[in-house]
Amino acid sequence: MHRIVCAVNESLYYQILCKGLLQSLLKYCSIPCKLTVLLDGDHIQPLDDLRKYIEIVRVKPLDLICGCVPSRTTFARLEIPYIFSNEKRILYLDVDTYVMNDIKELFTMQFKTLAAVVPGDVLMIKELIKREFKSNLSKLEYELDGITYSCGLEDHRYFNAGVMLIDPYKWRKLRVKQHVEALTLAHPSAMYTSDEMALNLIFRGHLTDLRACYNTFNFTEIFLNETARIWHFNTCKPILHMPLSQCQTWLSLFKTNDQILLKKLENIAKISGNTTLLEMKSEDYHRI
């Protein structure tokens, strides 16, 4: 049986996103899969009715917030190859993704690198840093076990880490988690996209390419020559960045009670702002 993993904290909003992802997997996965949620916290009320279909594993990631990602939970994905050390391959998905079609190909395709990702076709890492963060990428040195490593001089394609097909054995052998944490702790202000930036710098583009349909954004859909399989909200999330009326496919994944809840959350965001919405916790699920 194959394993698919996501990670979430106690934010009510992100746990609802997580629920949408899980329900899409239950709907579209045509092969048996173990669905695992890494929980950075203790409470997960929105997922109570899915417990018979999923596994919940509590995790405490590196306690560091940096770059444009306002949560330490993003570092939880670094723990995956250690928690599930007997797996041959693991699919990691951000909670702001959802599956739109069958993805069984991801569990049959061959790849010899430590991970397979969807790379930016033309987006190079130095171009990204300059365009999005008005900075220049320079040499970054960090130390791990008394040895000094460097990165940042080589230019290569930038990839989004929201969809990663991981080889756990190679990940552990190359000590990816340890390198990412050492680099991030040494240069937190340069990790503009948090651990994703560190992963890009360490991997240097030496990964297997997945087709763009496996990590599709609203701004890349027009370039697809096939149907999207995994949709990634990323910087255009429901309620926060666009109304639910524009997310009908995703909204249809939820049962009626959760659709009503989402509309209530949308009203809260309209009246009190996104900050208030994002401050709501899992325990508020039955109080709204």
Side-chain angles (χ1 to χ4, degrees), residues 224-273:
L224 288 184
N225 55 15
E226 60 183 313
T227 304
R229 295 180 181 274
I230 299 176
W231 187 269
H232 195 164
F233 288 119
N234 196 247
T235 57
C236 195
K237 294 179 177 61
I239 301 176
L240 296 183
H241 309 114
M242 62 179 173
L244 289 174
S245 60
Q246 295 180 19
C247 309
Q248 290 301 318
T249 302
W250 175 74
L251 194 61
S252 68
L253 295 168
F254 295 90
K255 293 181 180 179
T256 302
N257 61 321
D258 281 328
Q259 290 185 12
I260 293 171
L261 173 77
L262 279 162
K263 290 172 183 176
K264 289 181 178 179
L265 293 179
E266 185 172 48
N267 286 332
I268 289 172
K270 285 179 181 178
I271 296 170
S272 304

Side-chain angles (χ1 to χ4, degrees), residues 5-9 37-40 57-62 71-84 92 164 166 171 177 181 195:
V5 182
C6 63
V8 72
N9 55 28
V37 177
L38 300 185
L39 175 60
D40 180 13
V57 177
R58 285 178 173 77
V59 64
K60 187 175 181 180
L62 179 67
S71 171
R72 73 177 192 181
T73 308
T74 184
F75 287 95
R77 56 187 160 199
L78 302 178
E79 309 290 340
I80 293 172
Y82 299 89
I83 298 172
F84 310 108
Y92 165 79
M164 287 195 297
I166 297 169
W171 188 286
K177 172 192 170 184
E181 291 184 348
D195 66 314

Side-chain angles (χ1 to χ4, degrees), residues 26-45:
L26 290 170
K27 180 177 181 179
Y28 287 110
C29 263
S30 63
I31 55 176
C33 287
K34 299 174 184 175
L35 305 182
T36 302
V37 177
L38 300 185
L39 175 60
D40 180 13
D42 296 311
H43 303 286
I44 198 160
Q45 277 86 334

Side-chain angles (χ1 to χ4, degrees), residues 136-150:
N136 293 311
L137 185 61
S138 57
K139 182 179 180 180
L140 301 171
E141 292 188 342
Y142 64 97
E143 187 174 299
L144 179 61
D145 295 337
I147 301 174
T148 300
Y149 297 87
S150 66

Side-chain angles (χ1 to χ4, degrees), residues 49-63:
D49 57 340
L50 296 181
R51 282 183 179 268
K52 66 178 179 180
Y53 306 111
I54 66 176
E55 174 187 25
I56 298 171
V57 177
R58 285 178 173 77
V59 64
K60 187 175 181 180
L62 179 67
D63 194 9

